[in-house]
Amino acid sequence: MPIFLVATKDPNPALEAELKNRFPGDVLEIADNQWIVSNREMTNKFTNELDPGTGGKWGDLIVARISSVNGWQDTDTWDWIDEKRLEHVYSHG
């Protein structure tokens, strides 16, 4: 399943609660103000679903669809990413 990075300039507990409520089981916090979210939508639709209207509900916000990922993170994060990508493969296979 596609994975998105959702990030804000400052920690935002209300946004985190909204993400977990809207996308249960598909959100992983990787920092105080950064989450990865697994969702089938295209970037624009996903962003509008999260913050409908003219935007700005959550303050400074960026949503980026991740097509490739690399770096250093704990094993649980990499396992989560692999699991969500496999869900996408098997749901289309």
Side-chain angles (χ1 to χ4, degrees), residues 8 23 41 47 59 75 86 88:
T8 60
F23 313 106
E41 302 297 344
T47 303
T75 303
L86 284 175
H88 178 68

Side-chain angles (χ1 to χ4, degrees), residues 32-79:
D32 283 343
N33 58 333
Q34 299 172 9
W35 305 267
I36 49 178
V37 181
S38 179
N39 189 279
R40 295 184 193 282
E41 302 297 344
M42 299 301 292
T43 308
N44 286 347
K45 188 168 183 181
F46 173 74
T47 303
N48 288 334
E49 187 176 328
L50 181 60
D51 194 355
T54 58
K57 175 180 180 179
W58 304 112
D60 292 332
L61 174 71
I62 188 167
V63 175
R65 186 173 175 159
I66 301 171
S67 60
S68 178
V69 64
N70 200 337
W72 294 264
Q73 196 51 262
D74 59 64
T75 303
D76 291 341
T77 300
W78 296 116
D79 290 346

